Amino acid sequence: MATQPQHILLVEDEPGTLNTTAMLLEMSGFRVSKAPNGRRGLDMLLSERPDLLVTDYMMPHMDGLQLIAAVRAEPTLEGLPILLMSAALPAEAARQQVADGFISKPFDYDEFERRVRALLGG
């Protein structure tokens, strides 16, 4: 019996980055849902229950830190691992937040995939 691929919700407002990153994750064997901003991402988190949230920091409507705060405040999402990515947020500031991991953009995909797999327990 085949196992289901791990499900990642990718929240990113830049369409090129969103689509390219989603494609690379899919090529690595993950199931990927995409959201163009934090508000839509939160709605999708509540309805889809992915295994991992990967979110950008700087986005309109609800930035990554606001999204993370909303996730951490929602009891039904307790324990959801979160990877925060940003070109603007210093790593030290990210570590002070409640994300489980941080990666600076632009990122090396191999390093990104290693971090994703580590957060997913493998």
Side-chain angles (χ1 to χ4, degrees), residues 74-93:
E74 174 56 51
T76 63
L77 296 173
E78 185 177 347
L80 176 71
I82 300 172
L83 178 62
L84 177 64
M85 50 185 187
S86 176
L89 187 67
E92 184 56 36

Side-chain angles (χ1 to χ4, degrees), residues 49-93:
R49 309 291 181 182
D51 300 304
L52 173 68
L53 168 63
V54 177
T55 183
D56 188 25
Y57 165 53
M58 292 182 13
M59 297 181 292
H61 310 297
M62 176 186 272
D63 71 27
L65 299 182
Q66 293 167 326
L67 175 58
I68 291 169
V71 168
R72 296 302 190 219
E74 174 56 51
T76 63
L77 296 173
E78 185 177 347
L80 176 71
I82 300 172
L83 178 62
L84 177 64
M85 50 185 187
S86 176
L89 187 67
E92 184 56 36

Side-chain angles (χ1 to χ4, degrees), residues 13-116:
D13 64 313
E14 203 292 305
T17 301
L18 178 66
N19 292 324
T20 300
T21 305
M23 180 190 66
L24 291 168
L25 287 167
E26 288 167 348
M27 290 173 56
S28 294
F30 298 104
R31 183 166 68 97
V32 180
S33 296
K34 303 181 290 187
N37 61 60
R39 281 193 194 146
R40 179 72 183 119
L42 184 58
D43 290 342
M44 291 175 72
L45 282 165
L46 294 169
S47 65
E48 295 186 18
R49 309 291 181 182
D51 300 304
L52 173 68
L53 168 63
V54 177
T55 183
D56 188 25
Y57 165 53
M58 292 182 13
M59 297 181 292
H61 310 297
M62 176 186 272
D63 71 27
L65 299 182
Q66 293 167 326
L67 175 58
I68 291 169
V71 168
R72 296 302 190 219
E74 174 56 51
T76 63
L77 296 173
E78 185 177 347
L80 176 71
I82 300 172
L83 178 62
L84 177 64
M85 50 185 187
S86 176
L89 187 67
E92 184 56 36
R95 279 191 286 276
Q96 293 173 12
Q97 302 303 322
V98 292
D100 300 296
F102 174 79
I103 193 162
S104 294
K105 293 182 351 186
F107 50 78
D108 172 76
Y109 183 73
D110 290 334
E111 176 63 21
F112 175 74
E113 184 181 354
R114 278 192 294 275
R115 292 180 191 211
V116 164

